[in-house]
Structure formats: C-alpha cells, structure tokens
Amino acid sequence: MGSCALALHGVRGLPASIVPEVALPSTHPRRVRDGIRVRQFREVEAERFGSRAVSALVPALAQSVPELPRDNAIAVLDDVLFRGLLTGQSLDEVRQRVLGRRGSSRCAEWWDLVDPGAESPLETFARLQCIDAGVAPDRLQVEIRDDDGRFLGRGDLGWQLGGDRWLIAEIDGREFHETPDAVLHDRRRQNALLATGRVELLRFTSADIAARTVIPTAIRAALTRRPTMP
C-alpha cells in the first residue's frame, strides 16, 4: 500500500527510507508485526506483482501523497506523469480520492506545482527550491537551436533573459552524467549551447540540491548580474 506500492511500481521521487506496510480487508483479523504498518480497508484495489498483490497505482498515490513530504509528493506525481504511468485525467482522480483523507488539507496547494515536464526527481527538487525562493523558472526542457534551426540541446530549467536569450540550469544526476561517454557528450553539448551566444549555463548536482539554498542563490545572482532586456 501507499509508498511501498509506489516503490514496487518503480515510481521515482520517494524518500530514501519508507516504512514497510501491508493492507488487509477490514474484515480480516489484524496482526501487527514489528516495523510493519498494517492498514485495513473495506476494499483493496490490487494488481498482481509476482506471486503477491500490490495496490494499483491510483489508490497507492491517493494513499501516499497526503503522507509524504511536499517535495517528495510532487516529485512522485511529476514522475508518473512524465513517464506516462498516469494521465492528466487519472491525476484528477487521485486528487479527488485524496479529499477527505487525513493530511489532505496540507497538500491542497501542491497540485498546482505538479509539472510533467520534469524529467527526474532532482529537477523537481531544484524547481521547488527556486519557486520557494521567488525565482521560479519560466520553462522546463528549453530547446536551444542554432541560427539554422538545428537542435543543439534541451535545458532542464530555463529563465528568459530577454529576446531569445536564456539562463539555463542543468541538474546532473550521477547515473546519467558520470560515465566517460556521458561526460564527453555533455561537454560537446555545453560548448554548442554556449557558442550560440544566447545561453548562460549553470550546472548543479545532487549535493547542491541537498544544500537547499545553493541553486536559488546562484540563479538569483545570475539574474541580477544579467538584467533582462526589453
């Protein structure tokens, strides 16, 4: 159930540590085991996972979103939308199911922060930090092209600097950016973007996100240093 079911569904953005939990029909005898949360529902909407059953995605999201920290809840919702595990219509269903649950009031404003353009939880966390600091990005996945219209690359988070100029923040996840081939690709791509003369590029890692203030501070400084053009 809840976050455990989301982990089994392969959803990204969950906290590093989650409490194990199982669900039983409300008529089933409740047996509490050490360290395992036992939940009871009138009906359990389940799917097969190997030899066992796991909560379906929509009810699992409805159970977990009100209980997760804000950033993780939004990262989870971003992820299922970006990867096509959930549609916008299904997201509305999740939102309706959350209403009336314990903790639903605390997440009432979270839904407007969900953005399927985030390609990773790290991007979601960085975006939320910038929003909280008053420097929300203007666009996600900003496409940069050369003067001939040839696609050069896509920036994770973008701030418009006026005209077709952009401040781009790249969030480097270790699994995608630390192999030799990835480093070479990133270097060539970065050079191509900077060569346009229309891109200022900042790069950040998970350590910067963990510090919480590094990214918004750097973005604000860059925006102040390069005031927008009319």
Side-chain angles (χ1 to χ4, degrees):
M1 300 302 292
S3 295
C4 290
L6 295 181
L8 292 174
H9 280 291
V11 175
R12 303 175 301 176
L14 292 164
S17 178
I18 57 178
V19 178
E21 58 183 12
V22 297
L24 299 173
S26 57
T27 57
H28 195 285
R30 182 169 180 170
R31 299 176 181 177
V32 179
R33 297 179 59 181
D34 290 342
I36 299 178
R37 181 183 182 187
V38 180
R39 309 177 72 161
Q40 291 182 297
F41 297 92
R42 184 171 301 173
E43 294 182 9
V44 179
E45 301 172 65
E47 299 175 355
R48 298 309 301 176
F49 185 83
S51 61
R52 298 185 180 274
V54 61
S55 175
L57 184 60
V58 167
L61 287 167
Q63 292 151 14
S64 62
V65 166
E67 300 172 355
L68 288 170
R70 184 202 67 165
D71 290 8
N72 293 104
I74 296 172
V76 161
L77 294 170
D78 282 358
D79 184 61
V80 294
L81 289 172
F82 170 73
R83 294 198 288 147
L85 302 178
L86 196 73
T87 65
Q89 184 176 1
S90 297
L91 179 64
D92 290 338
E93 182 182 353
V94 174
R95 186 171 185 174
Q96 289 301 313
R97 287 185 180 223
V98 167
L99 292 176
R101 287 182 178 272
R102 179 181 298 177
S104 61
S105 59
R106 62 187 284 268
C107 58
E109 297 181 357
W110 298 355
W111 304 98
D112 292 337
L113 297 174
V114 175
D115 193 321
E119 292 187 344
S120 73
L122 289 181
E123 291 181 23
T124 297
F125 299 149
R127 175 171 60 89
L128 293 175
Q129 289 176 9
C130 290
I131 290 174
D132 291 344
V135 286
D138 295 309
R139 189 183 303 174
L140 305 186
Q141 310 311 322
V142 180
E143 289 193 359
I144 303 298
R145 299 179 179 273
D146 64 15
D147 293 336
D148 296 323
R150 182 171 60 94
F151 176 77
L152 299 177
R154 184 178 291 109
D156 295 334
L157 309 176
W159 289 259
Q160 289 182 313
L161 297 177
D164 57 355
R165 297 170 56 246
W166 287 91
L167 169 65
I168 297 293
E170 289 282 270
I171 313 301
D172 296 340
R174 176 176 299 176
E175 66 274 26
F176 298 116
H177 295 274
E178 288 194 352
T179 66
D181 287 345
V183 171
L184 180 60
H185 172 76
D186 284 349
R187 183 181 301 127
R188 289 173 175 171
R189 174 174 164 274
Q190 177 174 326
N191 289 342
L193 295 179
L194 294 176
T196 65
R198 293 180 274 106
V199 173
E200 293 192 30
L201 187 63
L202 298 176
R203 304 191 71 161
F204 303 100
T205 67
S206 57
D208 297 320
I209 292 173
R212 298 202 63 83
T213 60
V214 169
I215 297 177
T217 298
I219 296 299
R220 179 177 288 107
L223 293 175
T224 302
R225 186 173 61 250
R226 296 286 189 272
T228 57
M229 297 173 61

